[in-house]
Amino acid sequence: MVVEYDLDAVDRLQEEFEVIAFGLFRNGRLSGSEAVKDRRVRAWCGVSLTVLSITWYLLQSFGGLKEGATMERFLWALNMLQQYPTEENGASRCGGVDEGTWSTWVWYFIDEVSYLENDVILWVNRFIGDVGNDCLLSADGVDFLTRGRKLDSGQPDKDYFSQKFNKPAYRYEIATNIRSSYICWIAGPYLPGVYNDLQIFRMGLRDKLDVGEKVEADDGYIAEREKCKCPHSMRTREDQRRMRGRLRMRQEKLNRLLKNFHTLDVPFRHGASKHGSCVHAICVLVQLTMEQGEELFDMREYHDNMSDNQVAQLYGI
């Protein structure tokens, strides 16, 4: 199920946002080709003019924005997600506004975008492109850096410790449709020193799956052999390892798209609740971007009954 919107309205919004964005971040100078303008908008906001216009349209359609929620203040929030400045730098970059005003509206809009998850990140979308495979989704735990916390004793709080980074982090589980570019599940934040990937899977995603349905996952999930296909599981076909390797690369590609937003690529300075809002908001933005043609690479060869050699002969992969 793809989100529907008024194309004419989105086109008009793009024109408005172009003027506002270049007025805010470039003193009104609109010079340069369309490709240069697009590159600059993405550098400021993390997404294209089209995607930020669609997001604004959805906010107006579903959210019912409060008084004072302007298009310019919406751009403050996208700039925050993309560049993660301090309050002082963010307020200065956005026209020298009051730091408290900047912070209030930034977090208001990040929360509002994260709420769009209910309309954009849909569980039913795992069936798009379904050809009868028992796995419709690939799932993975992904960690994002945060600042460390200390106990009253002065020792680091090991609950935040991520073995993936050897540093403090928050952990999420994200599942995406294997045969199309749709994020279908997000869970988190969790503390990586408390919950491993398997425990997180058992607390939510496992019980969402239909009878007989499984997910593709890495070996961290291998104990759930009835619900997961893992690279070194005894039930994994030897002649499908290349296909499954490509699938894991695809999942990592999604993780990199999320971390293109600087907020998720540096130690997070705020608390868990705000981090959760940022991750869910960024997943919404990435999903809308993929729906505009910037998809993950194609996995049309994924099929329960095809071997790597058959895939190579049929698709040249």
Side-chain angles (χ1 to χ4, degrees), residues 64-283:
L65 298 175
K66 69 181 184 181
E67 184 178 353
T70 65
M71 296 168 79
E72 180 175 317
R73 288 169 172 170
F74 172 58
L75 293 182
W76 297 357
L78 294 185
N79 181 252
M80 165 70 171
L81 291 173
Q82 172 62 8
Q83 299 186 351
Y84 198 42
T86 62
E87 284 190 2
E88 295 83 358
N89 288 340
S92 175
R93 186 174 299 160
C94 295
V97 298
D98 175 75
E99 293 166 11
T101 301
W102 178 87
S103 180
T104 296
W105 285 106
V106 158
W107 290 112
Y108 167 77
F109 271 114
I110 289 174
D111 283 340
E112 289 297 310
V113 175
S114 74
Y115 300 151
L116 289 177
E117 177 186 345
N118 295 325
D119 303 290
V120 176
I121 310 294
L122 302 177
W123 180 242
V124 70
N125 281 353
R126 74 193 196 281
F127 291 111
I128 294 176
D130 179 23
V131 293
N133 293 324
D134 53 12
C135 287
L136 303 176
L137 299 169
S138 62
D140 191 27
V142 54
D143 291 359
F144 301 107
L145 292 169
T146 186
R147 287 188 171 179
R149 311 296 196 272
K150 289 189 177 181
L151 303 173
D152 292 341
S153 63
Q155 296 298 312
D157 189 343
K158 294 184 179 180
D159 287 352
Y160 288 83
F161 182 77
S162 164
Q163 291 186 336
K164 298 179 182 181
F165 294 135
N166 284 328
K167 293 179 181 179
Y170 291 116
R171 177 164 294 166
Y172 293 77
E173 181 179 62
I174 299 176
T176 184
N177 184 317
I178 292 172
R179 291 180 62 90
S180 64
S181 294
Y182 286 94
I183 302 170
C184 301
W185 172 264
I186 312 165
Y190 297 96
L191 295 178
V194 178
Y195 299 104
N196 60 34
D197 292 350
L198 181 62
Q199 290 170 311
I200 295 170
F201 175 74
R202 287 171 169 170
M203 289 190 293
L205 181 55
R206 179 184 66 177
D207 296 330
K208 290 278 289 183
L209 300 172
D210 289 344
V211 175
E213 184 180 356
K214 301 180 181 182
V215 298
E216 289 277 0
D218 62 29
D219 285 333
Y221 295 72
I222 201 166
E224 280 288 346
R225 62 185 63 186
E226 296 300 323
K227 287 293 186 179
C228 300
K229 287 186 176 180
C230 304
H232 293 95
S233 170
M234 292 179 64
R235 301 186 182 187
T236 300
R237 286 175 52 174
E238 288 290 334
D239 61 354
Q240 292 182 334
R241 291 198 180 276
R242 186 168 67 242
M243 178 174 66
R244 292 201 158 84
R246 273 176 46 80
L247 184 56
R248 291 193 296 277
M249 289 171 56
R250 188 175 186 266
Q251 189 76 28
E252 290 301 321
K253 170 65 175 176
L254 175 62
N255 294 345
R256 288 196 298 274
L257 290 177
L258 300 177
K259 292 181 181 181
N260 281 343
F261 289 83
H262 205 49
T263 301
L264 302 185
D265 197 38
V266 297
F268 194 70
R269 300 186 300 271
H270 301 81
S273 177
K274 283 185 168 59
H275 194 275
S277 293
C278 289
V279 170
H280 288 254
I282 288 171
C283 283

Side-chain angles (χ1 to χ4, degrees), residues 279-295:
V279 170
H280 288 254
I282 288 171
C283 283
V284 167
L285 295 171
V286 169
Q287 179 58 56
L288 291 174
T289 297
M290 292 193 294
E291 289 180 18
Q292 292 306 301
E294 300 178 39
E295 301 177 331

